[in-house]
Amino acid sequence: MKSFPISINDPIKYPGPPPAQADAVVIGGGIIGVMTGWEIAKQGLKVVVLEKGRIAAEQSSRNWGWVRVQGRDPAEIPIMQESATMWRDMNDAIGAEIGLRQGGVSFLAKTKEDLDRYASWLPDAKANGVDTRVVSKSSLTDVLPGAHGDWAGALWTPGDLRAEPWTAVPAIARAATDAGVTFVENCAARLLDLEGGRVTGVVTESGLIKTNSVVVAGGAWSSLFLRRHGVNIPQLSVRATVSATAPVDNVHNGAAVDHQLAFRRRQDGGYTLAPAGFHELFVGPDAFRALAKFAPQLVKDPLGTRLKAFAPKGFPDAWGTARRWAADKLSPFEKMRVLDPKPNAAKVRFMARAFQETYPGLDDVKIETAWAGMIDTMPDIVPVVDRVETIPGLTISTGMCGHGFGIGPAFGRITAQLATGKTPSHDITRFRLSRFSDGSKLVLGPNL
């Protein structure tokens, strides 16, 4: 079986060293961090993006590759629409092919009740001009010709897109470098440098960078870094298993998911597969702290997340992972350069069988590679994108809940606006940090 395309064994493309000063520093080299850095550089500012391992080596390259408006939280829809426009312009903007294709997205309903639940999203689609419609059982062959399954119907958005994550994010980083962004790999941010409670720099393993603006876009690691500075967010990380088939006949040019399996066509002729609605949570200190806030989500979908007793050594919420460290000592981020969880082997075998059953006309479906990623998730299934009032100069953009790849370009633009003192171009009240402490009732996103 082939190894995952991006790993800690890859040569360092951006060795640094980091500069002594910058207008802004972004912590995290995933899609959010890369796009934030690029958007800051477009303002003519000096920006550094720090990555403890390799650009896009964690969840930004390990996701399904869906670029969808369908099923989004109402507050995310206009942001995702802007992001889709940015994706459509991306090949020209970066001078590279990222595999962007319009193949549509379909949510296949097992029961009439599931179909009604999907259809409840239609008013949000209509209000924003999204081309979503309900497809009846008798018309499913028009959307998924050749597919076999006992489905009651589907929610279908023909305008939705797909792209290749492990190709796209590194290519965007190369273009951002040309635009003036300084990336530094293998360079962990250890601590914020603060004076009078304000950000004055970032202490990295390679020295101090003076700056008055820092963005934390560390994905699964964000909560650990922020808590060290007294900023508590109820963010957890769940393991998600994914696999890729060898090239096969093109049975469906878009992306689809039912109660068992998610799949989407890839540029190389294979399909990316994932078990639908299945995640694994390694229980650690953060899980206990956040349990009360996650309770509504767990009650709504009690079988969607499997609990695992102990996280592997070095994971963000492992029992042995340090919660406090000094500026001149190794941080947890240096001890785990790339978060590379093992995939669930039983689920990998299941996915191959399920895809073959969905398309029995295919020859033997062979899994070419399998991997897992840690998805940073929040109790209400929407991210935190906000300035931190208690630490002027600090901005957070994290907790994308497995939806970050598609919406990353526009959220990167919004995060850059926040980090440079500008008014956000969208209403981001829904994503405010204070919702976890101001007594607000948490409202679950649709999570379709």
Side-chain angles (χ1 to χ4, degrees):
M1 193 173 286
K2 293 182 179 179
S3 59
F4 189 74
I6 303 177
S7 80
I8 190 60
N9 297 320
D10 292 347
I12 296 173
K13 295 182 177 67
Y14 306 101
Q21 183 277 332
D23 295 311
V25 174
V26 180
I27 300 172
I31 182 67
I32 301 296
V34 169
M35 289 301 307
T36 298
W38 194 11
E39 291 293 327
I40 292 174
K42 288 177 182 179
Q43 300 180 33
L45 300 175
K46 183 178 180 181
V47 57
V48 180
V49 177
L50 300 173
E51 171 50 53
K52 63 184 177 60
R54 301 292 183 274
I55 295 295
E58 295 191 358
Q59 187 57 25
S60 286
S61 61
R62 295 165 185 259
N63 61 82
W64 297 359
W66 294 27
V67 180
R68 64 174 175 90
V69 179
Q70 179 167 295
R72 291 274 180 176
D73 186 271
E76 288 186 339
I77 293 174
I79 300 172
M80 185 58 228
Q81 289 174 308
E82 179 179 357
S83 201
T85 298
M86 296 170 75
W87 277 115
R88 289 188 178 95
D89 296 336
M90 195 66 74
N91 279 354
D92 291 339
I94 68 176
E97 169 59 55
I98 61 171
L100 188 75
R101 299 291 185 273
Q102 182 177 318
V105 164
S106 55
F107 294 168
L108 298 162
K110 181 180 180 182
T111 65
K112 177 63 164 57
E113 290 73 21
D114 290 335
L115 191 59
D116 290 343
R117 178 166 60 88
Y118 292 163
S120 68
W121 189 77
L122 286 174
D124 293 324
K126 184 177 180 180
N128 290 277
V130 183
D131 61 341
T132 303
R133 64 179 184 268
V134 170
V135 179
S136 67
K137 183 173 185 176
S138 62
S139 298
L140 275 176
T141 54
D142 297 335
V143 176
L144 293 168
H148 286 235
D150 186 20
W151 301 303
L155 190 70
W156 165 240
T157 304
D160 275 345
L161 310 164
R162 59 178 172 86
E164 304 302 327
W166 59 64
T167 300
V169 183
I172 295 169
R174 290 193 293 272
T177 300
D178 293 340
V181 178
T182 298
F183 291 96
V184 188
E185 294 179 311
N186 236 51
C187 184
R190 289 178 175 173
L191 294 171
L192 298 175
D193 188 54
L194 303 173
E195 292 182 12
R198 303 181 64 90
V199 169
T200 53
V202 178
V203 180
T204 81
E205 62 180 289
S206 299
L208 175 67
I209 306 173
K210 298 298 290 184
T211 185
N212 59 12
S213 179
V214 172
V215 173
V216 174
W221 298 94
S222 295
S223 177
L224 183 63
F225 184 90
L226 292 167
R227 181 169 285 112
R228 178 65 179 80
H229 293 282
V231 180
N232 297 313
I233 59 173
Q235 175 183 297
L236 300 179
S237 300
V238 294
R239 181 173 71 171
T241 293
V242 192
S243 65
T245 74
V248 295
D249 292 342
N250 188 0
V251 293
H252 182 59
N253 202 40
V257 60
D258 66 6
H259 59 288
Q260 295 189 104
L261 181 72
F263 58 93
R264 66 106 181 157
R265 182 73 171 172
R266 285 199 319 281
Q267 186 182 16
D268 63 9
Y271 283 82
T272 294
L273 310 178
F278 177 82
H279 302 101
E280 295 169 293
L281 172 65
F282 295 105
V283 178
D286 288 346
F288 279 96
R289 292 188 189 100
L291 180 60
K293 286 186 167 59
F294 275 86
Q297 186 181 143
L298 294 173
V299 169
K300 184 177 181 181
D301 185 18
L303 301 179
T305 301
R306 310 302 194 272
L307 300 182
K308 310 288 284 187
F310 298 100
K313 183 179 179 181
F315 274 41
D317 198 25
W319 290 98
T321 297
R323 265 60 186 177
R324 296 194 66 81
W325 55 90
D328 60 348
K329 303 295 183 182
L330 281 177
S331 68
F333 318 110
E334 294 149 81
K335 297 177 181 179
M336 179 68 73
R337 294 286 182 184
V338 172
L339 193 54
D340 185 22
K342 293 180 179 180
N344 184 309
K347 287 296 180 182
V348 173
R349 293 190 294 271
F350 161 78
M351 287 185 274
R353 292 195 305 270
F355 191 53
Q356 187 81 68
E357 291 169 0
T358 302
Y359 287 99
L362 288 175
D363 292 332
D364 185 34
V365 175
K366 296 180 180 178
I367 300 298
E368 203 166 57
T369 186
W371 64 92
M374 298 300 291
I375 295 175
D376 46 316
T377 187
M378 305 301 295
D380 46 4
I381 324 176
V382 293
V384 176
V385 182
D386 200 1
R387 300 183 183 105
V388 180
E389 292 184 2
T390 57
I391 304 179
L394 179 60
T395 302
I396 301 174
S397 191
T398 194
M400 295 292 153
C401 302
H403 308 157
F405 177 70
I407 206 169
F411 260 137
R413 179 170 288 171
I414 291 168
T415 305
Q417 292 164 348
L418 290 171
T420 56
K422 293 181 170 53
T423 301
S425 52
H426 292 273
D427 181 359
I428 59 171
T429 305
R430 173 86 161 113
F431 316 117
R432 69 195 186 282
L433 173 63
S434 64
R435 70 185 192 267
F436 301 114
S437 59
D438 63 7
S440 300
K441 181 181 178 180
L442 296 183
V443 179
L444 291 181
N447 198 28
L448 298 180

